[in-house]
Amino acid sequence: MTRASSTTKTYNQDCSDCPIRHRAVCARCEGDELEQLEQIKYYRSFEAGQTVVWAGDSMDFVASVVTGIATLSQTMEDGRRQMVGLLLPSDFIGRPGRETSAYDVTAATDTVMCCFRRKPFEDMMLRTPHIGQRLLEMTLDELDAAREWMLLLGRKTAREKIASLLTIIARRDASLQLSMADGELSFDLPLTREAMSEYLGLTLETVSRQMSSLRKEGLIVTEGKRHITIPDFDRLLEETGDDSDGGFLV
Amino acid sequence: MTRASSTTKTYNQDCSDCPIRHRAVCARCEGDELEQLEQIKYYRSFEAGQTVVWAGDSMDFVASVVTGIATLSQTMEDGRRQMVGLLLPSDFIGRPGRETSAYDVTAATDTVMCCFRRKPFEDMMLRTPHIGQRLLEMTLDELDAAREWMLLLGRKTAREKIASLLTIIARRDASLQLSMADGELSFDLPLTREAMSEYLGLTLETVSRQMSSLRKEGLIVTEGKRHITIPDFDRLLEETGDDSDGGFLV
DNA sequence: CAATTTCCTTGATGTAGATCAATCCTGATG
DNA sequence: CATCAGGATTGATCTACATCAAGGAAATTG
C-alpha cells in the first residue's frame, strides 16, 4: 500500500503524494516553495529497532515521519533510559539551528522519513515565514504532549500509565487507520514491552503484569503479542486517571 | 532594587527599562514595533501563592515574567498535582491561538508579569515574523527542558531529583543574581517543600528527608528554611545522575 | 506576648513497583 | 523438525518511597 517496508533510499520523489502533507512543514507550501523543498528533500528507510542517530551525533537534516514510528530517548550513564518523544507519521524530527542530536532517535517499527538538508532548510525558513509558523504550532503541540506525559510520569500509577498509553496510541492511530465498530476498537501495538517501559518510566516486568491484569479483567483483548482490541474504550478511559470529559476523539 | 515586591498595577510603562528585553518577545523589536507593543502591554503583580489563572479559565493575554517565579501545574480529579512548568524572569506564558489556559498558573514568589493583550499580540505576530521566530526558539528551549524533566520524573531516585532541582535553580538564578565565590554558591530557594514535591513527583515528606540527608552529608548548608549554600557545586552535580561533562554554566 | 497559622521535620509503618530468576511462546534457521 | 533467539509472562522477594501521625520553629494576629 505504501512504501513503508521498502529499504531503498529514494531521492527527490514528488511531494504531491507525500503523506506528510496533511500536517507537516510543507502543508502550506506552493509552487516555487514546493520546488525548493524538492531540491533539498530525500527519503530514508529504517528497519524496526534500527538507530537513526545517537545523542550527540551530528545531524545534518531535519525530517518528517512518513510511515512507521520513531522514538526519542535519553540515556543515563548507568544505562537507565527514558523515552521523551514518540513520533508518528507527520511528526517533525530535529531542531533548526542545532547541529547535533540531543537524543537517541530510534525506529520503533519499520519507518520511512522524509528528510530535508538542514542548512538549506533553515535558509528557507527565514524566507518563508509560514514554515516557521507551522513549526511553532507543532512545537507547541509537542510541548503540551510533553506536559501531559510529565503528569503521567510523576503522578500516575502503573495501571493508569498503561491505560493512558493504550488510549494515546489508539487515539493517534485512529486518525490514520484502525478498525473500529461501536466503541470496540483494535490496533497493532507498535512498541515492545521494553519500549513501553521506557515510555512509562516502569520496568518491562511491571508493564507485562499490568497488561495481563487488564486482560484478565476484560478491559483489553489480545491476539498474539501485539494485536490489541479494546472492547469498551470509555471503560479503559476511566482507568487512565484523566478527566473523563471529551468523547472519543477530543 | 526592582519593583519586584510592589503590588500596584502599572499600565503602559516604558519598555526600555523592561527587564524582559534581554530574552523575551520584544528583544528584537524597534521603533514602530515597540510603539505597538506599548499599546497592548500592561503589568500585573501577584503575591506569593496567588493563582494567576486556573486550568480551563479563559485567558485574554500572553505574558512574560519580569520578576519572581511562576509555575504551571496540572491537577488530577483526586487532587494529585504535577508541576509542568517553572517560569523564571523573561520566560513566556500563554499560547498564541489558545483562549483558555491548559494549566493552573501560580505565582510561587511575589511576581510581576508583563502582559500583552492576546488578540492584538497575535495580529502583531503575523505582521512581525521575528516575534514568531523568537517564540519558536523559546518554545524549543522549553521543550528541551521538559524532556530533561521527563528523565528526572521517570528514572531518577529521590536523592537525584533533589540534587537536580537544586542545580537547576542555582544555574538559572546564576545568570541573574546570586552570590558566588570559588565554587561556593548560595541562593534563596524560591519554592516551598510542597512546590518542590510537585516539581519532582514526590511527597513533601520525602523532599524534606532528602534535604536533611544532603545537609547532614555537607552537600548543602541551610540558613533558615529557604537560604541554601552549596559549598562544592561539582560534588552536588555528581549526585544528580547526569553526565558530569560541562563546567559550571553549560 | 499568648495564640494561631504556615511551613517544615522526623518517626513508624505499609505497599507499589523494582529486582532477581525461571519458564514460555513464536517465529526464524540450519 | 530440532534448535535457537528474542520477546513476553509469571513467581518470589526486596526496598524506596508513600502514608499516617506527631511535634517543632518562625512568622502573623488579635
Side-chain angles (χ1 to χ4, degrees), chain A residues 164-212:
Chain A
S164 299
L165 176 55
L166 292 176
T167 60
I168 287 169
I169 292 176
R171 266 203 255 253
R172 295 207 51 182
D173 255 41
S175 46
L176 305 168
Q177 56 230 33
L178 157 148
S179 47
M180 130 144 218
D182 72 322
E184 172 170 314
L185 172 165
S186 72
F187 58 96
D188 273 315
L189 199 55
L191 303 175
T192 63
R193 296 289 184 264
E194 186 177 27
M196 291 175 71
S197 76
E198 286 176 11
Y199 185 110
L200 299 171
L202 298 170
T203 59
L204 77 155
E205 292 95 326
T206 298
V207 170
S208 184
R209 273 186 253 275
Q210 295 295 336
M211 290 289 286
S212 298

Tab-separated table of all heavy atoms in Angstrom, chain A residues 164-212:
chain	number	residue	atom	x	y	z
A	164	SER	N	-3.282	4.800	30.013
A	164	SER	CA	-3.066	6.058	29.300
A	164	SER	C	-2.343	5.819	27.983
A	164	SER	O	-2.738	6.340	26.939
A	164	SER	CB	-2.243	7.021	30.159
A	164	SER	OG	-2.913	7.318	31.358
A	165	LEU	N	-1.285	5.015	28.040
A	165	LEU	CA	-0.518	4.759	26.820
A	165	LEU	C	-1.394	4.117	25.749
A	165	LEU	O	-1.363	4.511	24.579
A	165	LEU	CB	0.683	3.860	27.136
A	165	LEU	CG	1.534	3.435	25.947
A	165	LEU	CD1	2.026	4.647	25.158
A	165	LEU	CD2	2.717	2.592	26.392
A	166	LEU	N	-2.194	3.134	26.169
A	166	LEU	CA	-3.063	2.466	25.198
A	166	LEU	C	-4.034	3.455	24.569
A	166	LEU	O	-4.238	3.445	23.353
A	166	LEU	CB	-3.829	1.320	25.879
A	166	LEU	CG	-2.957	0.138	26.312
A	166	LEU	CD1	-3.777	-0.902	27.061
A	166	LEU	CD2	-2.265	-0.500	25.112
A	167	THR	N	-4.619	4.333	25.362
A	167	THR	CA	-5.562	5.290	24.774
A	167	THR	C	-4.846	6.309	23.894
A	167	THR	O	-5.372	6.710	22.868
A	167	THR	CB	-6.363	6.047	25.852
A	167	THR	OG1	-5.464	6.771	26.691
A	167	THR	CG2	-7.165	5.103	26.717
A	168	ILE	N	-3.646	6.682	24.285
A	168	ILE	CA	-2.891	7.627	23.449
A	168	ILE	C	-2.612	7.029	22.086
A	168	ILE	O	-2.851	7.652	21.051
A	168	ILE	CB	-1.554	8.013	24.126
A	168	ILE	CG1	-1.813	8.953	25.308
A	168	ILE	CG2	-0.610	8.690	23.131
A	168	ILE	CD1	-0.611	9.184	26.200
A	169	ILE	N	-2.137	5.796	22.078
A	169	ILE	CA	-1.827	5.161	20.796
A	169	ILE	C	-3.101	4.937	19.993
A	169	ILE	O	-3.149	5.203	18.790
A	169	ILE	CB	-1.085	3.829	21.019
A	169	ILE	CG1	0.298	4.126	21.583
A	169	ILE	CG2	-0.971	3.047	19.724
A	169	ILE	CD1	1.092	2.898	21.939
A	170	ALA	N	-4.135	4.485	20.676
A	170	ALA	CA	-5.400	4.236	19.982
A	170	ALA	C	-5.896	5.522	19.322
A	170	ALA	O	-6.252	5.537	18.149
A	170	ALA	CB	-6.440	3.708	20.962
A	171	ARG	N	-5.868	6.603	20.076
A	171	ARG	CA	-6.351	7.881	19.555
A	171	ARG	C	-5.539	8.354	18.369
A	171	ARG	O	-6.076	8.789	17.364
A	171	ARG	CB	-6.261	8.945	20.648
A	171	ARG	CG	-7.529	9.111	21.427
A	171	ARG	CD	-7.548	10.487	22.051
A	171	ARG	NE	-7.271	10.396	23.485
A	171	ARG	CZ	-8.211	10.584	24.411
A	171	ARG	NH1	-9.438	10.852	24.067
A	171	ARG	NH2	-7.910	10.501	25.686
A	172	ARG	N	-4.210	8.293	18.516
A	172	ARG	CA	-3.377	8.852	17.459
A	172	ARG	C	-3.441	7.989	16.220
A	172	ARG	O	-3.446	8.483	15.107
A	172	ARG	CB	-1.927	8.990	17.951
A	172	ARG	CG	-1.834	10.011	19.094
A	172	ARG	CD	-0.486	10.657	19.156
A	172	ARG	NE	-0.055	11.198	17.870
A	172	ARG	CZ	1.117	11.776	17.679
A	172	ARG	NH1	1.964	11.887	18.666
A	172	ARG	NH2	1.460	12.243	16.494
A	173	ASP	N	-3.490	6.673	16.439
A	173	ASP	CA	-3.657	5.767	15.315
A	173	ASP	C	-4.993	5.997	14.632
A	173	ASP	O	-5.105	5.909	13.418
A	173	ASP	CB	-3.598	4.312	15.806
A	173	ASP	CG	-2.279	3.666	15.440
A	173	ASP	OD1	-1.254	4.354	15.571
A	173	ASP	OD2	-2.290	2.504	15.020
A	174	ALA	N	-5.985	6.301	15.458
A	174	ALA	CA	-7.345	6.374	14.959
A	174	ALA	C	-7.465	7.292	13.755
A	174	ALA	O	-8.128	6.962	12.766
A	174	ALA	CB	-8.282	6.846	16.057
A	175	SER	N	-6.798	8.434	13.820
A	175	SER	CA	-6.934	9.398	12.747
A	175	SER	C	-6.317	8.893	11.448
A	175	SER	O	-6.547	9.459	10.390
A	175	SER	CB	-6.279	10.716	13.165
A	175	SER	OG	-5.019	10.470	13.731
A	176	LEU	N	-5.534	7.843	11.520
A	176	LEU	CA	-4.838	7.350	10.333
A	176	LEU	C	-5.437	6.073	9.760
A	176	LEU	O	-5.735	5.972	8.590
A	176	LEU	CB	-3.362	7.105	10.658
A	176	LEU	CG	-2.605	8.292	11.256
A	176	LEU	CD1	-1.269	7.851	11.788
A	176	LEU	CD2	-2.445	9.370	10.195
A	177	GLN	N	-5.554	5.074	10.597
A	177	GLN	CA	-6.032	3.784	10.098
A	177	GLN	C	-7.017	3.205	11.101
A	177	GLN	O	-8.028	3.805	11.388
A	177	GLN	CB	-4.849	2.816	9.918
A	177	GLN	CG	-4.059	2.621	11.179
A	177	GLN	CD	-2.565	2.804	10.914
A	177	GLN	OE1	-2.154	3.587	10.094
A	177	GLN	NE2	-1.766	2.078	11.657
A	178	LEU	N	-6.788	2.001	11.573
A	178	LEU	CA	-7.522	1.422	12.700
A	178	LEU	C	-8.928	0.978	12.322
A	178	LEU	O	-9.639	1.636	11.596
A	178	LEU	CB	-7.566	2.457	13.832
A	178	LEU	CG	-8.639	2.422	14.912
A	178	LEU	CD1	-8.048	2.929	16.188
A	178	LEU	CD2	-9.834	3.250	14.503
A	179	SER	N	-9.290	-0.158	12.830
A	179	SER	CA	-10.642	-0.653	12.622
A	179	SER	C	-11.447	-0.433	13.883
A	179	SER	O	-10.966	-0.644	14.985
A	179	SER	CB	-10.591	-2.145	12.288
A	179	SER	OG	-9.740	-2.819	13.186
A	180	MET	N	-12.645	0.012	13.709
A	180	MET	CA	-13.454	0.312	14.886
A	180	MET	C	-14.924	0.135	14.575
A	180	MET	O	-15.403	0.420	13.493
A	180	MET	CB	-13.167	1.748	15.339
A	180	MET	CG	-14.366	2.630	15.574
A	180	MET	SD	-14.030	3.720	16.982
A	180	MET	CE	-15.624	3.755	17.772
A	181	ALA	N	-15.662	-0.393	15.523
A	181	ALA	CA	-17.110	-0.539	15.382
A	181	ALA	C	-17.738	-0.397	16.755
A	181	ALA	O	-17.245	-0.949	17.728
A	181	ALA	CB	-17.443	-1.908	14.789
A	182	ASP	N	-18.764	0.341	16.839
A	182	ASP	CA	-19.499	0.689	18.068
A	182	ASP	C	-18.672	0.566	19.349
A	182	ASP	O	-18.869	-0.305	20.160
A	182	ASP	CB	-20.784	-0.142	18.166
A	182	ASP	CG	-20.517	-1.610	18.485
A	182	ASP	OD1	-19.516	-2.162	17.966
A	182	ASP	OD2	-21.286	-2.178	19.260
A	183	GLY	N	-17.745	1.500	19.508
A	183	GLY	CA	-16.982	1.563	20.753
A	183	GLY	C	-15.909	0.506	20.859
A	183	GLY	O	-15.019	0.610	21.677
A	184	GLU	N	-15.978	-0.547	20.034
A	184	GLU	CA	-14.886	-1.510	20.014
A	184	GLU	C	-13.857	-1.044	19.000
A	184	GLU	O	-14.197	-0.458	17.986
A	184	GLU	CB	-15.403	-2.902	19.624
A	184	GLU	CG	-14.262	-3.874	19.411
A	184	GLU	CD	-14.726	-5.301	19.271
A	184	GLU	OE1	-15.573	-5.722	20.089
A	184	GLU	OE2	-14.270	-5.981	18.334
A	185	LEU	N	-12.619	-1.378	19.270
A	185	LEU	CA	-11.559	-0.681	18.550
A	185	LEU	C	-10.303	-1.522	18.668
A	185	LEU	O	-9.972	-2.007	19.745
A	185	LEU	CB	-11.441	0.673	19.237
A	185	LEU	CG	-10.381	1.691	18.984
A	185	LEU	CD1	-10.850	3.004	19.587
A	185	LEU	CD2	-9.105	1.289	19.653
A	186	SER	N	-9.639	-1.732	17.542
A	186	SER	CA	-8.444	-2.554	17.660
A	186	SER	C	-7.302	-2.043	16.796
A	186	SER	O	-7.512	-1.365	15.803
A	186	SER	CB	-8.778	-4.007	17.338
A	186	SER	OG	-9.011	-4.141	15.960
A	187	PHE	N	-6.101	-2.383	17.224
A	187	PHE	CA	-4.923	-1.855	16.545
A	187	PHE	C	-3.705	-2.701	16.903
A	187	PHE	O	-3.751	-3.512	17.832
A	187	PHE	CB	-4.684	-0.406	16.962
A	187	PHE	CG	-4.508	-0.235	18.447
A	187	PHE	CD1	-3.252	-0.198	19.018
A	187	PHE	CD2	-5.624	-0.135	19.283
A	187	PHE	CE1	-3.093	-0.048	20.390
A	187	PHE	CE2	-5.469	0.019	20.653
A	187	PHE	CZ	-4.214	0.055	21.206
A	188	ASP	N	-2.649	-2.506	16.140
A	188	ASP	CA	-1.405	-3.188	16.445
A	188	ASP	C	-0.534	-2.304	17.309
A	188	ASP	O	-0.242	-1.168	16.957
A	188	ASP	CB	-0.654	-3.543	15.156
A	188	ASP	CG	-1.110	-4.872	14.608
A	188	ASP	OD1	-1.229	-5.817	15.418
A	188	ASP	OD2	-1.361	-4.954	13.387
A	189	LEU	N	-0.136	-2.838	18.435
A	189	LEU	CA	0.740	-2.117	19.344
A	189	LEU	C	2.108	-1.984	18.681
A	189	LEU	O	2.748	-2.986	18.382
A	189	LEU	CB	0.845	-2.932	20.629
A	189	LEU	CG	1.315	-2.222	21.885
A	189	LEU	CD1	0.457	-0.998	22.169
A	189	LEU	CD2	1.239	-3.194	23.048
A	190	PRO	N	2.565	-0.776	18.438
A	190	PRO	CA	3.816	-0.618	17.697
A	190	PRO	C	5.051	-0.669	18.588
A	190	PRO	O	6.152	-0.449	18.123
A	190	PRO	CB	3.653	0.767	17.071
A	190	PRO	CG	2.807	1.514	18.039
A	190	PRO	CD	1.930	0.510	18.728
A	191	LEU	N	4.878	-0.964	19.858
A	191	LEU	CA	6.007	-0.939	20.789
A	191	LEU	C	6.184	-2.293	21.466
A	191	LEU	O	5.212	-2.959	21.810
A	191	LEU	CB	5.765	0.124	21.874
A	191	LEU	CG	5.523	1.562	21.422
A	191	LEU	CD1	5.182	2.437	22.609
A	191	LEU	CD2	6.739	2.106	20.689
A	192	THR	N	7.440	-2.658	21.700
A	192	THR	CA	7.727	-3.838	22.513
A	192	THR	C	7.423	-3.493	23.970
A	192	THR	O	7.275	-2.326	24.323
A	192	THR	CB	9.215	-4.216	22.434
A	192	THR	OG1	9.985	-3.141	22.987
A	192	THR	CG2	9.643	-4.461	21.005
A	193	ARG	N	7.374	-4.502	24.809
A	193	ARG	CA	7.174	-4.250	26.243
A	193	ARG	C	8.294	-3.362	26.781
A	193	ARG	O	8.076	-2.520	27.642
A	193	ARG	CB	7.148	-5.565	27.022
A	193	ARG	CG	5.999	-6.486	26.662
A	193	ARG	CD	4.670	-5.964	27.148
A	193	ARG	NE	3.590	-6.908	26.863
A	193	ARG	CZ	2.794	-6.838	25.807
A	193	ARG	NH1	2.942	-5.861	24.926
A	193	ARG	NH2	1.839	-7.725	25.625
A	194	GLU	N	9.486	-3.579	26.258
A	194	GLU	CA	10.600	-2.767	26.721
A	194	GLU	C	10.423	-1.299	26.333
A	194	GLU	O	10.613	-0.399	27.159
A	194	GLU	CB	11.927	-3.283	26.154
A	194	GLU	CG	13.107	-2.545	26.741
A	194	GLU	CD	14.447	-3.083	26.264
A	194	GLU	OE1	14.511	-3.637	25.151
A	194	GLU	OE2	15.431	-2.927	27.009
A	195	ALA	N	10.016	-1.060	25.086
A	195	ALA	CA	9.792	0.318	24.650
A	195	ALA	C	8.675	0.942	25.476
A	195	ALA	O	8.748	2.105	25.873
A	195	ALA	CB	9.451	0.358	23.168
A	196	MET	N	7.635	0.157	25.759
A	196	MET	CA	6.559	0.674	26.597
A	196	MET	C	7.101	1.078	27.962
A	196	MET	O	6.764	2.136	28.498
A	196	MET	CB	5.455	-0.381	26.765
A	196	MET	CG	4.670	-0.664	25.502
A	196	MET	SD	3.469	-2.026	25.697
A	196	MET	CE	2.243	-1.276	26.759
A	197	SER	N	7.963	0.230	28.521
A	197	SER	CA	8.506	0.535	29.845
A	197	SER	C	9.365	1.796	29.804
A	197	SER	O	9.381	2.565	30.758
A	197	SER	CB	9.316	-0.652	30.378
A	197	SER	OG	10.572	-0.725	29.734
A	198	GLU	N	10.040	2.029	28.684
A	198	GLU	CA	10.843	3.250	28.574
A	198	GLU	C	9.966	4.479	28.415
A	198	GLU	O	10.305	5.559	28.868
A	198	GLU	CB	11.824	3.142	27.393
A	198	GLU	CG	12.974	2.214	27.704
A	198	GLU	CD	13.914	2.013	26.532
A	198	GLU	OE1	13.797	2.746	25.524
A	198	GLU	OE2	14.759	1.101	26.610
A	199	TYR	N	8.849	4.286	27.767
A	199	TYR	CA	7.895	5.387	27.663
A	199	TYR	C	7.356	5.747	29.038
A	199	TYR	O	7.240	6.920	29.383
A	199	TYR	CB	6.738	4.968	26.746
A	199	TYR	CG	5.714	6.047	26.438
A	199	TYR	CD1	5.617	6.595	25.170
A	199	TYR	CD2	4.826	6.498	27.408
A	199	TYR	CE1	4.684	7.572	24.869
A	199	TYR	CE2	3.891	7.481	27.123
A	199	TYR	CZ	3.819	8.011	25.852
A	199	TYR	OH	2.891	8.984	25.582
A	200	LEU	N	7.029	4.732	29.824
A	200	LEU	CA	6.225	4.927	31.032
A	200	LEU	C	7.035	5.108	32.312
A	200	LEU	O	6.470	5.384	33.372
A	200	LEU	CB	5.286	3.727	31.212
A	200	LEU	CG	4.275	3.494	30.081
A	200	LEU	CD1	3.569	2.160	30.262
A	200	LEU	CD2	3.264	4.634	30.036
A	201	GLY	N	8.345	4.945	32.231
A	201	GLY	CA	9.136	5.010	33.449
A	201	GLY	C	8.866	3.830	34.364
A	201	GLY	O	8.792	3.968	35.583
A	202	LEU	N	8.714	2.642	33.772
A	202	LEU	CA	8.496	1.415	34.549
A	202	LEU	C	9.498	0.370	34.095
A	202	LEU	O	10.279	0.604	33.182
A	202	LEU	CB	7.081	0.878	34.295
A	202	LEU	CG	5.883	1.749	34.683
A	202	LEU	CD1	4.592	1.158	34.147
A	202	LEU	CD2	5.811	1.891	36.201
A	203	THR	N	9.494	-0.801	34.725
A	203	THR	CA	10.269	-1.926	34.202
A	203	THR	C	9.372	-2.726	33.263
A	203	THR	O	8.149	-2.632	33.342
A	203	THR	CB	10.714	-2.862	35.327
A	203	THR	OG1	9.559	-3.338	36.010
A	203	THR	CG2	11.633	-2.142	36.303
A	204	LEU	N	10.000	-3.517	32.398
A	204	LEU	CA	9.164	-4.271	31.473
A	204	LEU	C	8.343	-5.328	32.184
A	204	LEU	O	7.245	-5.664	31.747
A	204	LEU	CB	9.968	-4.850	30.320
A	204	LEU	CG	10.836	-6.076	30.493
A	204	LEU	CD1	11.006	-6.779	29.191
A	204	LEU	CD2	12.162	-5.687	31.066
A	205	GLU	N	8.833	-5.829	33.314
A	205	GLU	CA	8.042	-6.795	34.077
A	205	GLU	C	6.731	-6.181	34.567
A	205	GLU	O	5.670	-6.796	34.471
A	205	GLU	CB	8.823	-7.315	35.281
A	205	GLU	CG	10.020	-8.188	34.952
A	205	GLU	CD	11.301	-7.386	34.899
A	205	GLU	OE1	11.243	-6.206	34.486
A	205	GLU	OE2	12.367	-7.920	35.250
A	206	THR	N	6.832	-4.976	35.077
A	206	THR	CA	5.630	-4.309	35.562
A	206	THR	C	4.652	-4.049	34.411
A	206	THR	O	3.443	-4.236	34.571
A	206	THR	CB	5.992	-2.986	36.263
A	206	THR	OG1	6.814	-3.281	37.383
A	206	THR	CG2	4.760	-2.251	36.742
A	207	VAL	N	5.188	-3.657	33.271
A	207	VAL	CA	4.324	-3.456	32.106
A	207	VAL	C	3.590	-4.743	31.790
A	207	VAL	O	2.361	-4.764	31.635
A	207	VAL	CB	5.147	-3.009	30.877
A	207	VAL	CG1	4.292	-3.036	29.614
A	207	VAL	CG2	5.719	-1.621	31.100
A	208	SER	N	4.341	-5.829	31.745
A	208	SER	CA	3.745	-7.124	31.403
A	208	SER	C	2.653	-7.504	32.403
A	208	SER	O	1.557	-7.917	32.022
A	208	SER	CB	4.839	-8.181	31.371
A	208	SER	OG	4.314	-9.413	30.955
A	209	ARG	N	2.950	-7.378	33.672
A	209	ARG	CA	1.957	-7.705	34.702
A	209	ARG	C	0.688	-6.874	34.561
A	209	ARG	O	-0.426	-7.393	34.657
A	209	ARG	CB	2.563	-7.465	36.091
A	209	ARG	CG	3.312	-8.652	36.644
A	209	ARG	CD	3.757	-8.379	38.079
A	209	ARG	NE	5.184	-8.148	38.149
A	209	ARG	CZ	6.086	-9.125	38.251
A	209	ARG	NH1	5.693	-10.380	38.288
A	209	ARG	NH2	7.375	-8.851	38.303
A	210	GLN	N	0.845	-5.592	34.335
A	210	GLN	CA	-0.335	-4.733	34.234
A	210	GLN	C	-1.141	-5.044	32.975
A	210	GLN	O	-2.366	-4.993	32.998
A	210	GLN	CB	0.075	-3.253	34.239
A	210	GLN	CG	0.702	-2.784	35.537
A	210	GLN	CD	-0.247	-2.829	36.718
A	210	GLN	OE1	-1.461	-2.786	36.552
A	210	GLN	NE2	0.300	-2.942	37.918
A	211	MET	N	-0.439	-5.389	31.900
A	211	MET	CA	-1.149	-5.783	30.684
A	211	MET	C	-1.965	-7.038	30.971
A	211	MET	O	-3.135	-7.130	30.603
A	211	MET	CB	-0.160	-6.057	29.551
A	211	MET	CG	0.537	-4.828	28.996
A	211	MET	SD	-0.527	-3.748	28.025
A	211	MET	CE	-0.692	-4.715	26.514
A	212	SER	N	-1.347	-7.991	31.646
A	212	SER	CA	-2.058	-9.244	31.983
A	212	SER	C	-3.279	-8.935	32.832
A	212	SER	O	-4.360	-9.500	32.625
A	212	SER	CB	-1.134	-10.178	32.761
A	212	SER	OG	-0.023	-10.522	31.976
